[in-house]
Every structure is written in structure tokens, then in C-alpha cells.
Amino acid sequence: MTASAAVAAGYTLAAGPVRAEVITTDTTGLDVGTAKIKVADGEMPGYFARPKGVANPPVVIVAMEIFGLHEYIRDVTRRLAKLGAFAIAPDYYFRKGVDLTKITDMTQLIPLVNSKPDSELLTDLDATVAYTKANGGDTRRLGMIGFCRGGRNVWEYAAHSTELKAAVAFYGPPVDAPNPLWPKSPTQLAPEMKAPVLGLYGGADTGIPVAQVEALKAALAAAGKTAEFKIYPGAPHGFHADYRPSYRKEAAEDAWLQMQAWLKKYKVLS
């Protein structure tokens, strides 16, 4: 896929070249569209997909990477809708006033996303849950999945929400870089986890050492929290991101099955 084609298709270039063999999920049998989620200071945009004609579907929040609400995240949302969920991906970086999918320089992107306070993130996610409930979603069956920074946000929300039934973090960092806007890392929040979380990590992730994953696992076990982990040997960071060179088909497909099984185990998906 050429750079111009990738941009036209809605992919971000900030993460590097876009693979031609990206997964494309159609909208057959789905209602899809743009959400306008009421938050304290305005409306947060989002993308939703849900099975057409199905009353009270379970809800799954999709927490995106730092690259904005681009086509890969929208496609994941449609994949979840094909599984029967009212899936929604909130654009919780919307207040930055720029389209993150159009930023190609990581030195510009990182300061923008790192200026997002956790307190604001958590209320944005609460607002997303409220939006789905007001629009016919069954939030008694509330799940969440997230990728990269979104995976980190899964851990954060699992320590915050009393409504969340189960969540899956794809290579979410267990330890944060120093940032006064992020009071506690996922590992520090281990005693506060309120929902069972499945962590899916790459054994060759150069940004998340396996030792950090093992430390998070130990902290959760010490706190008596329900969590499981699977580490894919040889898989790099971003192994599920089918639009990026980091994609690893075998690990990605297994991780997707593990995610489904986890959400079914805790009655989010049926």
C-alpha cells in the first residue's frame, strides 16, 4: 500500500509504513457510524459498530493506540460488532485540536498524547459507557480491549470502573514513564483492580521487557486479583496491528481468540 493510498484509506503513517495486506471487515449486518459522546466540556467523537436489529447488545470499548482514531481501530470495532457487541472507540485525544492520524513525526505526537491526564481519560471512558447505555447497549455486560497505550488505559480503567466485567490489554505498558498527569502505573494500581484482565504481550517487545510483565503479574497475584497473561515468544510490540510491519499473523490470530474466550468467560460476549 502506497503512502497516499494508506492516507486515503484512513491509516496513520506515524507508526511507519502501512502494509498492503491489511485486514478489512465489511459492514454487512452492522450499523456503523460516528458517535458524539457528551463530556463535561463538549462532545467527544467516536466510532461505533453494532449488529443490526439486535436489542441490548453487550458493550465493548476499544481503547486506541496513540495514533488517533484511524482505520485499523475502526476495523477492530467492526470485528467486535460481528461477534455481537456494541463496540465503540472513543477519540479521547480530541481536545488536542489536531488530527493525530495526520501527524507523521513522533516527536510532535508523543508530547500531545502524554499531556492527557488520567483523571480526564477515566471520565471520558465513563462518558463512553453512559453513551452506549443511552443508545441501547447492555452495560451490565461491559467489556474493554485496548492496544499499546490503549492497553495501558485498559489496566487504568479496570482499576477505576465498578461496571467493567472483563478486559483485555494488548501489550499495554505495565510501568509508565514519569508523568505528573499519570499518578499511578498499572503495576502500582494492581491492588485496586476491580475487573479480571487478560494481558497479551510479545516476548520480543523492546519497549516492554518481559520482566515488567512478570512483575505486574506478581503484584496482581499478591493482591488476590484475577488476571491471566500470555506472552508470545518472538513477537514484537504491535504484533496485532495488521497495518504495520510489526504484525505477526500467528500471534495476532491466537490473541484474538484468547480475547474472545476471556470476554465469553465473564459473560460479556455470548
Side-chain angles (χ1 to χ4, degrees):
M1 184 178 290
T2 65
S4 59
V7 170
Y11 291 94
T12 179
L13 296 179
V18 176
R19 295 175 65 250
E21 304 86 359
V22 294
I23 295 171
T24 302
T25 304
D26 63 39
T27 59
T28 303
L30 304 179
D31 287 325
V32 303
T34 300
K36 293 182 178 181
I37 302 164
K38 187 177 294 184
V39 291
D41 53 349
E43 287 185 335
M44 175 172 60
Y47 178 84
F48 74 87
R50 59 188 295 173
K52 191 183 295 288
V54 175
N56 304 314
V59 173
V60 179
I61 299 172
V62 180
M64 62 186 180
E65 313 152 310
I66 62 172
F67 307 117
L69 187 49
H70 61 86
E71 181 56 23
Y72 163 65
I73 296 300
R74 292 195 293 266
D75 198 90
V76 166
T77 304
R78 294 193 294 273
R79 294 176 212 177
L80 287 162
K82 294 276 187 175
L83 298 175
F86 181 167
I88 185 164
D91 184 2
Y92 38 65
Y93 296 121
F94 79 101
R95 295 176 186 83
K96 303 308 170 186
V98 294
D99 184 349
L100 299 186
T101 70
K102 300 297 192 291
I103 298 177
T104 58
D105 187 343
M106 291 291 283
T107 63
Q108 295 178 24
L109 182 63
I110 294 297
L112 285 173
V113 297
N114 283 358
S115 66
K116 174 78 173 178
D118 276 347
S119 57
E120 186 179 79
L121 169 74
L122 297 173
T123 57
D124 284 349
L125 293 171
D126 285 342
T128 303
V129 175
Y131 172 90
T132 61
K133 185 174 184 178
N135 285 275
D138 182 2
T139 56
R140 295 170 302 176
R141 294 181 290 161
L142 175 65
M144 182 177 183
I145 72 171
F147 304 89
C148 189
R149 179 69 62 80
R152 181 257 182 198
N153 294 342
V154 163
W155 289 110
E156 296 288 316
Y157 198 58
H160 165 81
S161 174
T162 57
E163 292 188 78
L164 192 64
K165 297 300 184 289
V168 181
F170 288 74
Y171 32 87
V175 178
D176 295 330
N179 187 335
L181 300 176
W182 303 344
K184 290 185 180 181
S185 71
T187 301
Q188 291 171 315
L189 285 170
E192 301 176 39
M193 293 296 161
K194 298 174 179 63
V197 181
L198 172 65
L200 302 169
Y201 290 86
D205 190 328
T206 57
I208 303 177
V210 171
Q212 287 188 2
V213 180
E214 294 295 345
L216 173 57
K217 181 179 179 180
L220 290 161
K225 302 300 180 179
T226 301
E228 291 183 12
F229 291 82
K230 184 163 186 178
I231 297 173
Y232 293 90
H237 190 77
F239 64 80
H240 187 268
D242 53 77
Y243 71 105
R244 288 158 60 179
S246 60
Y247 178 65
R248 297 294 183 271
K249 185 175 187 292
E250 185 175 347
E253 290 180 350
D254 182 78
W256 190 253
L257 292 175
Q258 296 288 337
M259 178 275 296
Q260 291 180 60
W262 189 257
L263 295 185
K264 288 178 179 178
K265 179 178 181 179
Y266 292 99
K267 313 301 182 186
V268 174
L269 297 178
S270 55

